[in-house]
Amino acid sequence: MEVGNCKFVAQLIYESPGLVWEKNGRGWTIIHEAVWHRHETIFSLIYELGMAKDVIPTFKDTVDGNTLLHLAARLPPPTQLNRLAGAGFQMKREILWFKEVKKISQPSYIQKKNEEGKTPQEVFTSAHEALLKDGQTWMNGTAQSCTIVSTLIASVLFAAEVTVIITGHDRVKMASFRIFIISDAIAFLLTLTFSAILTSRYAERDFLSALSWRLKMGLALLFFSITAMMFTFSSAFFIAYGHKDVFSILVTGCAGVLLLLYVSLQLPLLRDTFASTFSCKSIFKQSEPVVL
């Protein structure tokens, strides 16, 4: 069960449907184990078990009185928590788990207290306090680093725009000059995208959609901003030295290499950001029934 072999578990349930009612020494069923170990595919089997979907969430832990929702509110084992890189993404996944188990819980069990006198929401808040702080630190640090880059881009491009406009007034009809102005404007406008993250309250619900969306959009727009800066840089040399100058072509090639270098350095963060978004969006969806 700890490995999360869904097909094996599904086959067992198909051959012996009564297994879903079997409990271990603590009163946990297969679904309870799936929630504790965060195996979303096995947990999704509960939607195919008919009346069991309404009954199993009412089973309580015989040791501390935790319900299924209490288990979803606790931190999972580190091996499962670290499946996603970045505390912000981990916090988002934990919130999704809590909300999904909450959907199948009876209304009276949402506020049910365990032996410690805590509701599932209180358990979630206390158990995820450290992860929430780590998520705040990680998200804030990422936004600050990108903001520094954005500020440098804005400063350099503003000075470049003023200089070219003053010295290149006789070349305003050149295509390279128009490319310069358009790229400069785009790069300058797209450098302000991370301010929304830095001014966020970092509440639990913000990690579910707002912060991840802002980070995803900020990274994407920062990439376009740097791309526009490279176009601006290259077009400035074409304005100064002409289209056929070898030096202008060489500088343009160097700008392209720098852009590729930036993409390679930021690729892990971009990959984790978009992978987290798409994996969390379909975390509890089944492409086909596993229990017939």
Side-chain angles (χ1 to χ4, degrees):
M1 185 64 189
E2 294 183 9
V3 179
N5 192 333
C6 178
K7 291 187 178 297
F8 175 72
V9 174
Q11 186 63 31
L12 285 178
I13 296 176
Y14 176 74
E15 298 291 342
S16 303
L19 285 176
V20 297
W21 303 105
E22 295 293 329
K23 303 178 184 179
N24 63 10
R26 300 192 57 153
W28 291 10
T29 65
I30 290 177
I31 301 302
H32 287 74
E33 290 279 359
V35 171
W36 173 244
H37 292 287
R38 298 298 193 266
H39 293 312
E40 57 274 3
T41 309
I42 296 177
F43 170 77
S44 297
L45 294 175
I46 197 171
Y47 295 109
E48 305 175 29
L49 299 180
M51 60 176 288
K53 182 174 71 71
D54 300 320
V55 179
I56 289 179
T58 65
F59 293 167
K60 299 174 66 174
D61 191 308
T62 57
V63 177
D64 48 26
N66 284 326
T67 64
L68 190 67
L69 191 55
H70 280 100
L71 289 181
R74 293 188 177 275
L75 278 176
T79 54
Q80 298 301 321
L81 185 64
N82 295 330
R83 288 167 61 188
L84 286 178
F89 301 143
Q90 293 171 359
M91 189 66 189
K92 177 180 179 179
R93 194 179 186 89
E94 286 295 286
I95 295 174
L96 284 173
W97 262 101
F98 187 75
K99 289 174 66 69
E100 190 68 21
V101 177
K102 190 176 181 179
K103 290 179 183 178
I104 65 171
S105 299
Q106 299 294 331
S108 60
Y109 277 76
I110 294 177
Q111 297 298 325
K112 196 82 170 179
K113 295 183 178 181
N114 58 11
E115 296 295 333
E116 298 178 352
K118 293 183 178 181
T119 64
Q121 183 60 57
E122 292 172 342
V123 172
F124 184 90
T125 301
S126 61
H128 291 80
E129 184 178 0
L131 183 60
L132 180 63
K133 291 181 180 179
D134 291 342
Q136 294 172 355
T137 302
W138 180 82
M139 193 73 72
N140 196 50
T142 303
Q144 284 182 345
S145 300
C146 294
T147 300
I148 293 174
V149 177
S150 300
T151 303
L152 290 175
I153 293 174
S155 301
V156 171
L157 292 183
F158 182 78
E161 183 176 3
V162 173
T163 302
V164 173
I165 289 177
I166 293 175
T167 60
H169 60 277
D170 56 334
R171 302 182 181 182
V172 294
K173 293 184 179 180
M174 292 175 57
S176 56
F177 187 87
R178 295 175 182 175
I179 294 175
F180 175 86
I181 295 299
I182 295 173
S183 302
D184 202 359
I186 293 174
F188 189 76
L189 290 174
L190 296 182
T191 55
L192 306 175
T193 55
F194 289 95
S195 59
I197 296 179
L198 295 174
T199 57
S200 175
R201 298 171 299 167
Y202 293 105
E204 289 179 2
R205 62 179 178 272
D206 291 337
F207 284 90
L208 187 59
S209 58
L211 287 175
S212 60
W213 183 85
R214 291 171 188 172
L215 179 62
K216 179 175 63 176
M217 292 301 298
L219 290 173
L221 292 177
L222 182 60
F223 169 76
F224 286 118
S225 178
I226 293 178
T227 303
M229 182 183 68
M230 294 306 176
F231 275 105
T232 302
F233 186 69
S234 301
S235 60
F237 275 87
F238 280 110
I239 292 172
Y241 297 100
H243 296 278
K244 298 182 180 180
D245 188 82
V246 178
F247 186 65
S248 300
I249 299 175
L250 181 62
V251 168
T252 302
C254 291
V257 172
L258 291 175
L259 180 61
L260 293 176
L261 179 62
Y262 169 78
V263 172
S264 63
L265 292 175
Q266 296 298 323
L267 188 61
L269 180 58
L270 286 168
R271 183 180 63 247
D272 290 342
T273 302
F274 284 92
S276 171
T277 301
F278 294 122
S279 64
C280 289
K281 187 178 295 184
S282 59
I283 182 173
F284 298 107
K285 292 182 179 179
Q286 293 276 349
S287 57
E288 59 183 10
V290 291
V291 179
L292 302 176

